[in-house]
Amino acid sequence: MKLNHYLSIIRYLAISYICFLLSSCSNSTKEDKDHLVFRYNEYSNIKSLDPAFARNPSIIWPTNQMFNGLVQFDDVLHVQPDIAKSWKISEDGQAYTFTLRDDVYFHKHSQFKTKDSTRTVVASDFTYSFDRLVDPKVASPGNWVLKNVKSYTAINDSIFEIKLKKPFPAFLGLMSMRYCSVVPKEVVEFYGNQFRSNPIGTGPFKFKLWEENVKLVLRKNELYFENDEKGKQLPYLEAVAITFLPEKQSEFLQFAKGNIDLLNSLDASYKDELLTPSGKLRKKYQDRITISKGPYLNSEYLGFYLDSDKKEIQSRLLRQAVNYGFDRVKMITYLKNGIGTPAINGFIPKGLPGFNDIPGYEYKPEKARKLVKKYIEQTGHKNPTITITTDSNYLSLCEFIQRELEKIGLNIIVDVLPPSTIREQKWSGKLDTFRASWIADYPDAENFLSPYYSKNHTPDGPNYTHFKNELFDQLYEESFLITDTKLREQLYSKMDSIIVAHAPIVPLYYDEVVRFTQKNVKGLTNNPQNFLVLKRVWKERKK
């Protein structure tokens, strides 16, 4: 009761204050404050602000503003210090020793029984945070990040040591994930499960208000430890305001009116309004909007559930026919306005070591027809039918594939379901063919190969297709033991070639980060993981 009463008071005071700060008490007040507040919309909503549950971009984006880990990536995916100012790796690649900064403070909270209601981060805070990550009672979807960790120890307040069960060259990349953020024991244990809506971290912005399904507000952290190149303390902004309009068309209209600063998607409902067929910003928006593009570590694909009892799914001939049977270049040009790269290679996207332009599937309709004909001759199955399950956002792509594949003799059914239903049924093996995305958790090609390792079959891992191949498994396991980057890349390419040959998936395209911002937004950069980093962003006053 005391906790609920306390939360009610906090929420009431927060709402009152934020309304005073951000709402339009008068037009002049709103204009005076506008350049201090960055606004964006999260159409898919946010289920938690606890970094232990940051499994998708909708949660990663806000938690990225509020939390820090041992290391971080820069915009070109080089590992940089974060709370750890330096680290050493043992010769066998199994021990990592991190030296922590001594000037990182948690956001202020009454549970810190100090004069300033805060305290510095020490190594034992990472011990607690990692213990929590793997605690079955917490049930974090990120507990897999530490599955190769043998032990972690706070040697003293400033030294944190991690020992691995076996070498893993991409380990530092894992430590950059929001799952591995440091959280304070006092506050987490005070709130319990309600830490999800009362987050306390160390990031450039601190939690202020969350009206679920309405608005989330973050405020500048006056204790943040990072400075810019000129010595000025970050962040520059005073606040971040996030709305939750569920429709992308409504989001676009708010952006077009200037009510939000960022549009981070290219939905079919408005793509032609914004872009020309060649992917350039239309003239009427050029004086108000900035477009930026960059590589995105995201492979879009169709997946086949190979444990299906359907003959069509079990047949490599038909899976290859689907791969050959539609024009990816045409699809990107006309349905994506040139945004993205046709996936005519493997599953590993461009921009990652191990890509190497391996031969994949180009548009070969005659070959596709022959494969379908061969399947019919071998099985006597005269009307091969495949059902593709997708959500409404990708319906136009799947309908394009449907029309193309019907020309080669396949009967294609497109089934549209909500994204949440697709995720659930994909995990439980109830979808024969499904459209999906694989976005890199960390920038190493191994991340794009783990979904095809046989020991990762769902529900124990992310192998949604239930693909199994002994040589693939052997190479995958060998890759962890190789410290030579070039040799490891060669193994990655071989594994990707095996995936192409057996066709458990249909690679569609390698995505691009495409962001639209208001002209007065400055300092917002792209990165191949499409993470939102706002600590160096500022807004010019509108004239």
Side-chain angles (χ1 to χ4, degrees), residues 50-53 67-72 82-84 94-98 100 106 121-155 159-164 171-185 188-189 195:
D50 184 340
F53 294 88
F67 294 91
N68 297 90
L70 291 166
V71 297
Q72 59 184 325
D82 201 359
I83 294 178
Q94 292 183 241
Y96 291 70
T97 304
F98 298 90
L100 309 187
F106 284 112
V121 173
V122 293
S124 58
D125 290 314
F126 279 99
T127 302
Y128 171 76
S129 300
F130 284 17
D131 283 346
R132 182 172 178 265
L133 191 61
V134 298
D135 185 348
K137 294 179 181 178
V138 175
S140 167
N143 56 23
W144 62 270
V145 173
L146 300 180
K147 68 180 181 180
N148 186 40
V149 173
K150 181 179 180 181
S151 65
Y152 43 85
T153 309
I155 305 300
I159 304 296
F160 185 64
E161 183 180 73
I162 301 175
K163 292 184 178 180
L164 306 184
F171 181 70
L172 280 177
L174 286 180
M175 291 297 97
S176 74
M177 296 179 69
R178 276 288 67 84
Y179 290 135
C180 300
S181 300
V182 67
V183 295
K185 179 178 180 179
V188 173
E189 294 190 349
F195 185 71

Side-chain angles (χ1 to χ4, degrees), residues 140 174 234 294 310-311 315 321 360 381 438 453 471 481 522-523:
S140 167
L174 286 180
L234 300 175
K310 299 287 182 64
K311 291 182 179 180
S315 170
H381 190 187
W438 188 263
Y453 181 50
L471 178 57
L481 304 176
K522 307 297 180 182

Side-chain angles (χ1 to χ4, degrees), residues 283-302:
K283 190 174 182 179
K284 68 178 180 178
Y285 291 109
Q286 290 177 3
D287 63 337
R288 296 192 289 124
I289 294 172
T290 300
I291 180 175
S292 61
K293 303 177 186 179
Y296 186 18
L297 302 186
N298 173 28
S299 291
E300 298 281 346
Y301 68 103
L302 301 180

Side-chain angles (χ1 to χ4, degrees), residues 284-330:
K284 68 178 180 178
Y285 291 109
Q286 290 177 3
D287 63 337
R288 296 192 289 124
I289 294 172
T290 300
I291 180 175
S292 61
K293 303 177 186 179
Y296 186 18
L297 302 186
N298 173 28
S299 291
E300 298 281 346
Y301 68 103
L302 301 180
F304 297 106
Y305 180 62
L306 301 186
D307 281 340
S308 169
D309 58 3
K310 299 287 182 64
K311 291 182 179 180
E312 292 94 333
I313 306 302
Q314 295 172 3
S315 170
R316 190 194 300 191
L317 292 175
L318 279 198
R319 299 199 303 269
Q320 290 177 333
V322 172
N323 270 285
Y324 283 122
F326 66 99
D327 190 338
R328 292 166 175 82
V329 175
K330 184 179 178 181

Side-chain angles (χ1 to χ4, degrees), residues 36 50 93 111 115 147 154 195 300 333 397 443 467 485 504 526:
L36 301 176
D50 184 340
Q111 285 304 298
K115 181 180 178 181
K147 68 180 181 180
F195 185 71
E300 298 281 346
T333 302
L397 287 178
F467 176 70
T485 302
N526 287 344

Side-chain angles (χ1 to χ4, degrees), residues 379-540:
T379 64
H381 190 187
K382 296 183 179 180
N383 187 33
T385 300
I386 295 174
T387 298
I388 300 174
T389 303
T390 183
D391 62 49
S392 59
N393 292 324
Y394 293 86
L395 178 58
S396 60
L397 287 178
C398 291
E399 287 180 337
F400 169 80
I401 295 170
Q402 177 187 41
R403 292 190 296 270
E404 294 293 293
L405 295 182
E406 286 175 348
K407 296 175 184 177
I408 65 168
L410 290 176
N411 180 36
I412 303 296
I413 299 171
V414 177
D415 188 16
V416 181
L417 295 176
S420 58
T421 303
I422 293 176
R423 283 193 297 269
E424 178 186 343
Q425 295 191 4
K426 199 168 57 172
W427 273 100
S428 57
K430 295 179 180 178
L431 302 178
D432 289 330
T433 310
F434 50 87
R435 194 233 47 99
S437 306
W438 188 263
I439 303 173
D441 292 313
Y442 47 92
D444 189 279
E446 180 274 334
N447 190 217
F448 283 84
L449 299 170
S450 63
Y452 306 100
Y453 181 50
S454 65
K455 293 182 181 179
N456 283 339
H457 281 188
T458 54
D460 298 321
N463 188 338
Y464 302 111
T465 64
H466 281 207
F467 176 70
K468 183 176 182 179
N469 180 274
E470 290 184 7
L471 178 57
F472 182 95
D473 286 353
Q474 177 187 332
L475 295 174
Y476 182 78
E477 291 170 0
E478 285 179 7
S479 70
F480 291 102
L481 304 176
I482 297 175
T483 56
D484 185 285
T485 302
K486 293 298 181 183
L487 290 177
R488 199 166 67 251
E489 289 174 14
Q490 291 175 15
L491 287 191
Y492 290 161
S493 293
K494 288 180 182 178
M495 285 184 272
D496 210 10
S497 295
I498 292 172
I499 295 170
V500 169
H502 288 267
I505 59 167
V506 182
L508 300 177
Y509 61 92
Y510 314 122
D511 210 354
E512 281 187 297
V513 174
V514 182
R515 290 179 175 175
F516 304 91
T517 55
Q518 304 295 343
K519 279 286 187 182
N520 67 328
V521 173
K522 307 297 180 182
L524 183 63
T525 56
N526 287 344
N527 58 80
Q529 291 182 288
N530 196 24
F531 289 167
L532 184 65
V533 181
L534 294 176
K535 59 189 175 185
R536 296 178 182 271
V537 172
W538 76 95
K539 292 169 62 178
E540 294 178 340

